[in-house]
Amino acid sequence: MKKLLLILLVLLGLQIQAQVYFCDSINYTIQSAQSGPTTTILMLNGIANIPGTVTSWDWQACDANLCYSASGQSVTFNQFNVTDTIKVCLTTILDINMTIYTCMQCDSLVYGLGGWMKMGVLTSIKEVEINIVKDNKMYDLLGRE
């Protein structure tokens, strides 16, 4: 009887609801303009799935010396060189059912073959070829014969 009551308590008393984290739905794309490699355009996308209002998009892009700010869904930064590593941060403020969410994401950007890209994103894989020398000699871990 105790087990039956425990099972009923668990089934009826505990309600587990999945948490929805709206900040996971926000991301942006990076475009290098056709006019030159130093222009970076950041465009926000992925907002359509959020059931509320976005009150602001605030961007900050920094190189080793200076930081620049902009607001809006699509912003352009043309202060950087191809040799720079840029840190880009997007702060988005959401109003969902009278609850305010502040979402912040930061990425480091470097200039590569396809223009500006997020640092650490895998772009290609090259297989390593092993060169085995068979000279019938034995070596220890320090490389001594």
Side-chain angles (χ1 to χ4, degrees):
M1 185 68 170
K2 288 181 184 179
K3 289 182 181 179
L4 180 62
L5 288 175
L6 181 62
I7 291 172
L8 286 175
L9 178 66
V10 169
L11 291 177
L12 299 176
L14 299 176
Q15 294 180 0
I16 299 173
Q17 296 179 352
Q19 291 183 341
V20 176
Y21 189 59
F22 297 107
C23 294
D24 288 342
S25 298
I26 299 171
N27 53 33
Y28 64 90
T29 58
I30 306 160
Q31 295 179 347
S32 297
Q34 300 297 329
S35 61
T38 59
T39 302
T40 305
I41 300 171
L42 303 170
M43 298 179 65
L44 196 62
N45 57 4
I47 293 292
N49 299 330
I50 298 175
T53 305
V54 178
T55 58
S56 72
W57 299 277
D58 295 316
W59 300 84
Q60 186 176 29
C62 302
D63 62 7
N65 301 315
L66 294 171
C67 290
Y68 304 94
S69 298
S71 295
Q73 256 186 305
S74 178
V75 298
T76 302
F77 295 102
N78 53 12
Q79 299 90 345
F80 303 108
N81 295 317
V82 295
T83 57
D84 290 335
T85 298
I86 306 170
K87 182 176 181 184
V88 175
C89 292
L90 169 62
T91 303
T92 309
I93 299 177
L94 306 171
D95 181 1
I96 301 172
N97 299 327
M98 303 298 289
T99 302
I100 303 297
Y101 295 88
T102 302
C103 306
M104 184 172 184
Q105 68 184 84
C106 294
D107 294 303
S108 293
L109 305 180
V110 293
Y111 195 81
L113 295 175
W116 292 99
M117 65 182 104
K118 291 181 184 178
M119 183 183 278
V121 176
L122 184 63
T123 57
S124 66
I125 297 174
K126 183 177 179 183
E127 189 170 332
V128 177
E129 294 181 18
I130 299 173
N131 186 11
I132 299 175
V133 178
K134 297 202 179 213
D135 57 1
N136 293 326
K137 296 180 183 178
M138 295 182 75
Y139 298 92
D140 64 7
L141 292 176
L142 297 175
R144 297 179 295 211
E145 187 176 340

